[in-house]
Amino acid sequence: MKKLKFLRSLRFRLFLLIAVIGIVPSVVLRVAILASYEGRAVSNRSIDVLSQAKLLGNQVVTYNYISDTSVEVINTQLEQLSNIYDGRILLVNPGFQIVKDTYGLDAGKTIISEEVVRSFRGEEITKYDSENRYIELAIPLKGAEEEEKSQGVMLVSVSTDGIMVNYDFLKDNALVIEIASAVLVLVAAFACANLLVLPFGKLTKSFEEVQASDDTGKLMVSDYTETEAISEAFNEMLGRLRVIDESRQEFVANVSHELKTPLTSMKVLADSLLGQEDVPAELYKEFMGDIAEEIERENKIINDLLSLVKLDKSSGSLNISVVNVNELLEVIMKRLRPIAEKQSIELVLESFRPVSAEVDEVKLSLALMNLVENAIKYNRKDGWVHVSLNADHKYFFVRVEDSGIGIPEESLEHIYERFFRVDKSHSREIKGTGLGLAITRNAILMHRGAIKAHSKEGEGTIFTVRIPLTYVG
Ligand code: ADP
């Protein structure tokens, strides 16, 4: 199988194609020309001999040679004609007797062949015997008058050996030329095939170079429109891979940074306590309180990361059951109400209809809770949060609207990225990891749902979630 691999190569197929196109017509041409040459040469020779023989025939009639074969002029001409064409001439009288044979063999003998009989009736016959290589002619000997009786018949047979010698010579020559041209065609086909597949080799080499190069390398082999299209497709794919790689690197860097920040704070707090002598108990208490807060933050980041990883891993393995979404939202509201009250934020749930849906209760609850939590966190004092639930025959919709600080337009497309936080300055006052919306979006996508955000800075934000009522795996 491996040995035959080259049969599938473009180079071999091009070579074969060019070779066939180059060689086949020349073979056809050679065979056709040789075949028509033989026919044409024989017919030319027949016409020649026939016209000469007819001239001589007229003279034979004029001199009444059949009755008297001693006429010297005719004898000389008969000899000449048979010598020129390397042939034999027989003259037959009406009694079917041979009166003259230029070979001098059959004079006096009787000949009754079909040709002779037909010729006596006035027919002119030309025959080519290709096997024995001679042309046979039968010419009636009679005067110009139509009704005149035939004085005899002239039989002429001429050898076509001369023609065949030419034919063989031509055949040999044509074969030599053809073999030479076939060799040239094969060489040209090989060179052309190599030349034509060159851009593909270039493409493969560029693939390797671009892969080995730094982040900026791009591929472009524009020799053919096809290689250009491949290059473009490759560049697009490479771009996507680079984005994935970059975001992975960024993610790892962010995770390390986020995990390190609370640790650094704790170390600073602990060191400052250890570096002082006779530290008052209140200061200890205060610093330990700060350290406990940092531990809490570290804990939150790790928990969020674990939720994300879990969501990524178990994509497709949702724990689906029929859940009362109204109740699910009520539980979320109950859990978050104390936080909202602390900032005197009004928290309202509006259910337009009872909704039961096939969802993963834990994951959906996590997703919706993040949204409501954000709406409270990024709010103003004495603000409000409205949560509403509605449904049609296919989907249920949850809308979380707040009167908060809003999200700048340029940040809207980034809010679902891991560790993204709109304004690093407010992130110091409002605690968060930047992972909440990434978790929410993942969970919603796993349910084949969709999430959209509308926001106006300083006025508030609306998140709308749409999830199918029945789960399709
Ligand atoms: P975080 O842990 O920071 O809340 P999220 O992923 O939940 O992380 O949110 C990402 C960022 O989007 C937040 O830091 C915040 O800047 C912005 N954001 C999210 N929800 C709201 C909202 N309801 N109003 C204003 N900004 C919001």
Side-chain angles (χ1 to χ4, degrees), residues 15 33 40 65 70 110 116 150 153 167 210 217 224 230 260 267 292 296 304 334 347 366 403 439 467 471:
F15 168 74
I33 286 179
R40 176 106 181 119
Y65 180 80
S70 62
T110 306
V116 176
S150 203
V153 167
Y167 175 83
V210 170
Y224 299 140
I230 294 175
K260 251 177 81 184
K267 173 117 177 78
E296 181 56 36
D304 279 0
K334 208 168 145 197
L347 194 53
L366 188 68
S403 59
I439 295 172
I467 291 176
Y471 178 73

Side-chain angles (χ1 to χ4, degrees), residues 19 35-36 85 97 208 217 293 322 353:
S36 73
Y85 291 109
Q97 206 175 31
E208 284 156 10
E293 222 173 78
V322 178
R353 64 187 74 225

Side-chain angles (χ1 to χ4, degrees), residues 300 304 370-371 374-379 402 404-407 415-417 419-423 426-427 430-438 455 460-461 463:
K300 172 107 177 69
D304 279 0
N370 278 339
L371 289 181
N374 278 349
I376 299 169
K377 262 193 336 193
Y378 301 103
N379 219 314
D402 66 54
I405 56 175
I407 303 168
I415 51 174
Y416 304 107
E417 289 167 14
F419 294 114
F420 179 84
R421 308 204 66 206
V422 167
D423 184 356
H426 81 58
S427 64
I430 307 171
K431 293 198 168 66
T433 58
L435 293 171
L437 285 180
S455 190
T461 308
F463 278 97

